[in-house]
Amino acid sequence: ATTEIYTLSLHDALRSGPGCSSVIGLLGECGPFFAGPDGKSLLRNPWSWNRNANTLFLESPAGVGFSYSDTESDYVMGDAQTAKDNRQFLLNWFSNFSEYSKNEFYITGESYAGHYIPTLTMEILQGNQNPAEKINLVGIAVGNGLTDQYTDFNSVVPMTFWHGLFSIQAWDQIQTDCKGDYVTNNSPACQVALSTATP
């Protein structure tokens, strides 16, 4: 049975990195096929997102994976420029495939997409003030997003404790010696305490 196609989802080099190719998502995660064990064949993915939605895999920023530019300056960028370029890509894509322009649109990604998705979302929302350039964005999702390096990495110790990976005694000692800073606290006592938390 066929599934009605009702959404358009942007995934996956809003993936990682910065600089990780969306081909990993396409052929190893949520695309319609997996790469076969021989590296030459394709196997159908029974969990593919395109069973329920149209799915784009965007190579971003310029120079990642199969993306390229004939203009050398396009390779000098940051997150803000990447967001502008990605929005322009979407505007061009919806212009060329206007039959999808009214569909609900979701942006998804993982890892460094914790930067890419919020910045692209802001670009889209600001651009949507011009009705001629409206993108029907209805939702975003970020998996294991890297949004703030200190906050993200500092959450690892409490997360592993609350998942039962080390003892209450080790936790109490870590709290005493590290005082909530598990990333930049280089005191010998903190480092010794943290070594007891290694599962």
Side-chain angles (χ1 to χ4, degrees), residues 29-52:
E29 296 176 342
C30 60
F33 299 100
F34 290 132
D38 60 4
K40 299 176 184 175
S41 60
L42 295 175
L43 307 173
R44 226 173 251 294
N45 178 1
W47 306 283
S48 174
W49 287 15
N50 74 314
R51 293 170 58 98
N52 296 303

Side-chain angles (χ1 to χ4, degrees), residues 5-14 22 25-26 30-32 47-59 89-90 93-94 100-110 117 120 124 135-143:
I5 297 173
Y6 63 94
T7 62
L8 181 68
S9 180
L10 178 64
H11 190 74
D12 209 4
L14 297 188
S22 284
L26 176 63
C30 60
W47 306 283
S48 174
W49 287 15
N50 74 314
R51 293 170 58 98
N52 296 303
N54 298 298
T55 307
L56 291 174
F57 293 84
L58 176 61
E59 299 279 55
F89 162 80
L90 291 171
W93 196 90
F94 283 122
Y100 298 107
S101 63
K102 301 294 184 210
N103 287 18
E104 294 180 341
F105 181 69
Y106 297 84
I107 306 170
T108 66
E110 60 184 304
I117 290 174
L120 175 56
I124 290 172
I135 294 173
N136 191 23
L137 179 65
V138 297
I140 64 173
V142 180

Side-chain angles (χ1 to χ4, degrees), residues 13-16 18-20 22 58-62 64-65 67 82 85-86 116:
L14 297 188
R15 175 171 167 39
S16 188
C20 188
S22 284
L58 176 61
E59 299 279 55
S60 170
V64 169
S67 67
T82 298
D85 291 347
N86 288 344
Y116 288 151

